[in-house]
Amino acid sequence: SAVISQKPSRDICQRGTSLTIQCQVDSQVTMMFWYRQQPGQSLTLIATANQGSEATYESGFVIDKFPISRPNLTFSTLTVSNMSPEDSSIYLCSVEFEVEETQYFGPGTRLLVL
Amino acid sequence: GEDVEQSLFLSVREGDSSVINCTYTDSSSTYLYWYKQEPGAGLQLLTYIFSNMDMKQDQRLTVLLNKKDKHLSLRIADTQTGDSAIYFCAWDRGSTLGRLYFGRGTQLTVWP
């Protein structure tokens, strides 16, 4: 398993602004992902954060809206750009180790956009 | 399609068994997972099953997989009030590592 932390844990933001969420893992991991959980809904994968290259986005998500960085094997950031109230969600990072076929999730960042 | 369906609500009395069901349409996946989400918390991995298995037992948890019917279930024996949470089934996307589909979640309420 892994210890995964996210910053901030929650935030309230004004529409039109941007927020960068950090995800830190206590050990090197092969795969890192970003998910969104809209209020009362299930989780939807936003993108795979690739170390040293551009993230791979899922259908319906674009780099201009959700730029992602992954400078090394233990850290990633997700930016929610030009926010609107529809972006109010919980954003979760997750990690998967190469030797395990299991995925562990961070505690999430609760975002409210006014 | 890759829809994953779950019943939304389940209520049981403390000490009874709980069974949470999940049906899916994607047959190419390798692993199926069960996650637990308590109020205000992240997702906790409970257990998982490899697609070539029919059953997996882990203490109070029993996972059953029926690939023919594309049906997955999680049985919690001797359910406790601390088991009250939302339970999500999740399914990987076959050959692509890590990308998961999630069910809608089942809210389990355990009454004392």
Side-chain angles (χ1 to χ4, degrees):
Chain A
S1 63
V3 176
I4 307 168
S5 61
Q6 286 186 233
K7 289 181 181 180
S9 59
R10 60 181 67 238
D11 208 342
I12 301 173
C13 300
Q14 297 296 321
R15 69 172 67 209
T17 63
S18 298
L19 176 72
T20 296
I21 302 167
Q22 299 179 3
C23 178
Q24 179 76 53
V25 191
D26 68 343
S27 56
Q28 293 186 345
V29 295
T30 309
M31 312 286 286
M32 294 183 78
F33 306 90
W34 287 98
Y35 288 80
R36 179 176 74 180
Q37 186 179 22
Q38 294 177 298
Q41 302 296 315
S42 184
L43 279 78
T44 302
L45 178 64
I46 298 172
T48 303
N50 301 308
Q51 195 264 328
S53 65
E54 192 172 285
T56 305
Y57 290 84
E58 298 299 309
S59 175
F61 297 96
V62 294
I63 188 171
D64 290 345
K65 177 65 176 178
F66 297 102
I68 287 170
S69 77
R70 189 174 173 197
N72 55 52
L73 294 176
T74 64
F75 184 78
S76 178
T77 67
L78 167 75
T79 299
V80 186
S81 302
N82 187 25
M83 288 183 285
S84 67
E86 291 71 34
D87 294 319
S88 298
S89 295
I90 301 173
Y91 292 87
L92 300 103
C93 69
S94 70
V95 304
E96 184 163 317
F97 297 94
E98 188 171 7
V99 295
E100 296 185 51
E101 295 286 356
T102 53
Q103 197 164 131
Y104 300 94
F105 282 80
T109 295
R110 284 156 179 76
L111 171 62
L112 176 62
V113 183
L114 302 178
Chain B
E2 296 133 336
D3 293 333
V4 181
E5 297 182 3
Q6 280 185 253
S7 50
L8 295 181
F9 301 98
L10 177 66
S11 293
V12 300
R13 288 222 173 264
E14 193 172 24
D16 289 349
S17 293
S18 307
V19 180
I20 301 170
N21 295 299
C22 172
T23 53
Y24 59 94
T25 57
D26 185 352
S27 59
S28 66
S29 300
T30 306
Y31 289 92
L32 189 71
Y33 307 86
W34 283 103
Y35 286 90
K36 176 184 181 182
Q37 186 177 41
E38 294 179 270
L43 264 71
Q44 174 193 353
L45 176 64
L46 286 178
T47 187
Y48 65 96
I49 187 168
F50 190 55
S51 58
N52 69 353
M53 297 171 63
D54 297 325
M55 185 183 83
K56 179 179 179 181
Q57 188 153 1
D58 184 0
Q59 300 181 338
R60 293 191 297 123
L61 305 178
T62 302
V63 179
L64 295 178
L65 176 60
N66 182 331
K67 288 192 70 176
K68 174 178 174 292
D69 296 335
K70 296 184 177 62
H71 184 262
L72 179 82
S73 68
L74 174 70
R75 179 177 181 270
I76 306 173
D78 187 25
T79 313
Q80 303 298 307
T81 54
D83 294 324
S84 294
I86 300 176
Y87 291 80
F88 292 96
C89 64
W91 196 248
D92 71 40
R93 303 189 189 189
S95 60
T96 306
L97 270 179
R99 297 162 66 228
L100 299 181
Y101 285 109
F102 279 80
R104 297 168 64 189
T106 297
Q107 172 72 60
L108 173 64
T109 302
V110 183
W111 302 96

